[in-house]
Amino acid sequence: MSFESRSGSGSLWMEYAPGPARPAVDGPVETEVAVVGGGIAGLCTAWELARAGHQVVLLEADRVASGVTGHTTAKLSALHGMVYADIARIHGRRAARLYAHSQQIAIDKVAEVSEELGIDCDLERLPAYTYTVDPDKADQLREEAEAAREAGLDATYETDVPLPFPVVGAVRVENQAQFHPRKYLLALAADLEVLGGRIFERTRVTGLREGTPCELTTSAGHTVRAREVVVATHYPVFDRALLFTRLEPKRELVVAGPLPAGQDPGGMFLTSDDNTRSVRTAPLGEDGRRMLIVTGEKFTPGAVGEGEVGEHYEKLSSWAREHFDGVELTHRWATQDNVTTDHVPYVGRLHAGSRHVYVATGFAGWGMSNGVMAGDLIASRIRGREPAWTSLYDPVRLHPVREAPAMLRLQAQVAKHFIGDRVPGAHADSTDDIPRGGGAVVRVGGRRLAVHRDEAGSLHAVSARCTHLGCVVHFNDEECAWECPCHGSRFDVDGKVVQGPAVRPLEQMDVEEGE
């Protein structure tokens, strides 16, 4: 589940029909492989295994392809901003080549599967650009172009970029792609069932016991036993490897709307300038018009003040209107992902002692290619095969010296929120101070309550302590959600889990006016 903002439509992709509803688990289930999470990584893993003849069950807390995957910008690119110079420096040049190769294979796989299954998912082959308008960053881009080329991508440094405003320079990589993620994944889900796979929706997994077999427990108290388990829940809901110390959640906003005819720049564009700006277009009807999709304004969920999310939306909207004359913005939504401390996702066994549990996380905003890559990698390992890039993505890897600065910064941020958010003055003094549509943390009887006043004036109160590790949640007034600034868990105003790693809801509380 994901919230729409209060003004404007939600995700463009979520307008596509949801497909048939699947049942929830209502009793004991046994299978060979259980995949937890019905986004792109989970669906691709389950489909790959079912195609190879394995008995597979997929468990999704809401509806398949409706969470983070349903709110992506849907670029299928191996050019992930400015990563290749960093990967070569941290992991070595061979690792950069393996990263590029695995990502490009994932892009090509979507095209191959779409053709094989006859999926019309608006797949388009286009160049990808990482650009800058800052002259001081030109040398960095030249270095990245060289690193990407050395890694095996068809990369060049360009100064002539087909955007409707001047840029200093850009890395260009040919033969990338974009698509409609839900059209692709709902077709994949249907084929998974044809292959004998079972999909359960509205089934939140809350417990895991590793063993032979492994045993999963749902929030309704049912058990699923499986020889192998794959945790593909975006942020790992089971984290025996303490990956949360090496994952940083980031939320980004998206605005979209029809472009006047003839203004499509014909590519996918990204810059870190202005707190990130990502640009692409998508087909709009049969008259050749296009939808402009602009992403940016990164922030840590739960770490912005009242009204700030709306201000971020306005900044992004203003930028889109300024740079694309005549665009009429009709949609807005938000997306979220996690960044690892060494710039490479964690895909593989959950922890050093794990023999039958796998994880996929840390896609850093590039979940489409990484989700496909993760599905292929995990399915290969379960089948006893080891792709050349297995160790590159291994979650057990750790580079203490090179990762230490990023890990220390991340933990300092968590400590700041864990301690600082409990300081008096960081909360409203009384429920009377909460406007309609707003929310605040209020101290009542020695307890901190997260209180929302709905548009009708009624109060909704829940515990302010995130059920993951106990950090204090903050209110996102634009999306009407409680968010944890420590690890990115999100809850609705009645405490229901919207996004993990939390698996338990916030406890509902009683509160009166004036408290």
Side-chain angles (χ1 to χ4, degrees):
M1 175 179 177
S2 183
F3 290 97
E4 294 182 1
S5 61
R6 293 190 212 172
S7 57
S9 297
S11 165
L12 179 67
W13 320 122
M14 292 299 291
E15 294 178 353
Y16 184 68
R22 277 94 175 184
V25 168
D26 61 0
V29 174
E30 294 194 6
T31 186
E32 185 180 355
V33 183
V35 178
V36 185
I40 189 167
L43 279 167
C44 288
T45 303
W47 183 79
E48 292 281 0
L49 288 166
R51 189 172 67 159
H54 293 271
Q55 184 186 47
V56 181
V57 164
L58 186 142
L59 308 166
E60 164 56 37
D62 190 30
R63 300 294 307 277
V64 295
S66 68
V68 173
T69 296
H71 294 78
T72 175
T73 50
K75 293 179 180 178
L76 278 164
S77 175
L79 182 63
H80 295 173
M82 303 276 287
V83 300
Y84 286 99
D86 282 340
I87 292 173
R89 182 171 57 253
I90 295 173
H91 301 276
R93 293 179 178 178
R94 179 176 181 273
R97 289 192 292 273
L98 290 172
Y99 186 90
H101 188 48
S102 63
Q103 298 296 321
Q104 192 63 51
I105 284 177
I107 296 164
D108 295 339
K109 179 148 211 164
V110 172
E112 292 165 4
V113 172
S114 296
E115 183 175 359
E116 176 187 339
L117 300 183
I119 303 173
D120 181 5
C121 59
D122 302 332
L123 184 71
E124 299 175 308
R125 288 284 195 174
L126 293 167
Y129 298 81
T130 298
Y131 74 92
T132 186
V133 298
D134 184 353
D136 292 338
K137 295 180 180 178
D139 287 344
Q140 285 180 271
L141 280 174
R142 289 190 181 92
E143 180 187 6
E144 182 66 16
E146 178 59 32
R149 185 165 52 251
E150 187 173 315
L153 297 180
D154 184 7
T156 56
Y157 180 78
E158 306 282 345
T159 55
D160 184 13
V161 177
L163 284 168
F165 52 88
V167 306
V168 171
V171 183
R172 171 176 171 143
V173 173
E174 299 294 339
N175 200 33
Q176 306 304 286
Q178 58 187 28
F179 72 143
H180 191 303
R182 277 172 56 80
K183 288 182 179 180
Y184 179 77
L185 290 171
L186 292 176
L188 210 64
D191 194 60
L192 167 62
E193 291 174 314
V194 169
L195 293 168
R198 289 180 288 170
I199 298 175
F200 294 96
E201 297 182 324
R202 314 291 189 188
T203 300
R204 185 173 296 279
V205 177
T206 57
L208 166 65
R209 181 186 63 79
E210 295 187 57
T212 310
C214 298
E215 185 174 287
L216 295 165
T217 307
T218 74
S219 59
H222 303 300
T223 58
V224 177
R225 293 183 176 87
R227 190 188 74 189
E228 312 285 347
V229 170
V230 180
V231 180
T233 54
H234 179 248
Y235 198 120
V237 293
F238 309 113
D239 197 2
R240 284 96 195 253
L242 301 181
L243 293 180
F244 67 83
T245 65
R246 300 159 66 196
L247 286 170
E248 182 176 11
K250 287 295 180 183
R251 198 155 181 81
E252 287 188 86
L253 307 181
V254 188
V255 295
L259 265 180
Q263 291 195 26
D264 179 16
M268 299 173 288
F269 306 85
L270 174 71
T271 181
S272 61
D273 300 346
D274 297 320
N275 193 16
T276 304
R277 294 292 183 263
S278 170
V279 174
R280 62 158 286 198
T281 66
L284 178 62
E286 297 180 357
D287 58 1
R289 290 191 303 152
R290 309 283 295 186
M291 284 286 285
L292 176 71
I293 302 171
V294 179
T295 309
E297 293 299 311
K298 284 186 180 180
F299 61 93
T300 299
V304 295
E306 184 177 356
E308 286 189 36
V309 177
E311 292 171 9
H312 282 299
Y313 265 123
E314 186 51 43
K315 286 181 182 177
L316 192 64
S317 299
S318 296
W319 186 92
R321 294 189 188 101
E322 176 186 350
H323 291 82
F324 292 88
D325 187 44
V327 65
E328 177 189 357
L329 298 177
T330 56
H331 294 68
R332 59 165 59 180
W333 69 92
T335 186
Q336 188 164 315
D337 213 339
N338 306 296
V339 183
T340 70
T341 50
D342 68 352
H343 308 284
V344 175
Y346 301 132
V347 181
R349 288 198 170 97
L350 180 60
H351 56 83
S354 180
R355 293 294 175 267
H356 301 287
V357 181
Y358 299 81
V359 69
T361 187
F363 296 160
W366 300 100
M368 298 299 97
S369 62
N370 272 311
V372 177
M373 177 279 298
D376 183 71
L377 175 54
I378 293 175
S380 294
R381 296 197 68 181
I382 288 175
R383 296 170 63 196
R385 301 175 182 177
E386 299 284 323
W389 42 86
T390 297
S391 61
L392 171 65
Y393 293 104
D394 190 349
V396 179
R397 73 181 187 271
L398 182 62
H399 308 279
V401 175
R402 288 168 287 185
E403 289 186 61
M407 292 177 67
L408 291 172
R409 176 187 57 79
L410 178 58
Q411 294 316 303
Q413 289 176 351
V414 171
K416 174 185 174 183
H417 291 299
F418 193 84
I419 298 172
D421 289 346
R422 288 171 166 73
V423 175
H427 317 286
D429 293 328
S430 165
T431 57
D432 290 341
D433 298 330
I434 302 173
R436 294 186 182 219
V441 175
V442 181
R443 186 187 293 273
V444 177
R447 299 190 67 180
R448 289 176 176 82
L449 306 186
V451 183
H452 165 66
R453 187 186 299 277
D454 64 27
E455 296 295 346
S458 300
L459 296 177
H460 303 253
V462 293
S463 170
R465 291 173 60 94
C466 177
T467 55
H468 176 228
L469 290 178
C471 291
V472 175
V473 297
H474 287 199
F475 193 65
N476 178 332
D477 59 322
E478 185 71 18
E479 298 179 84
C480 206
W482 294 105
E483 299 178 340
C484 176
C486 292
H487 305 105
S489 295
R490 305 180 73 242
F491 308 83
D492 71 12
V493 295
D494 292 317
K496 180 183 177 182
V497 177
V498 173
Q499 199 156 356
V503 296
R504 291 179 292 110
L506 300 175
E507 181 184 359
Q508 293 193 1
M509 311 294 290
D510 293 324
V511 69
E512 301 293 335
E513 292 284 353
E515 288 190 309

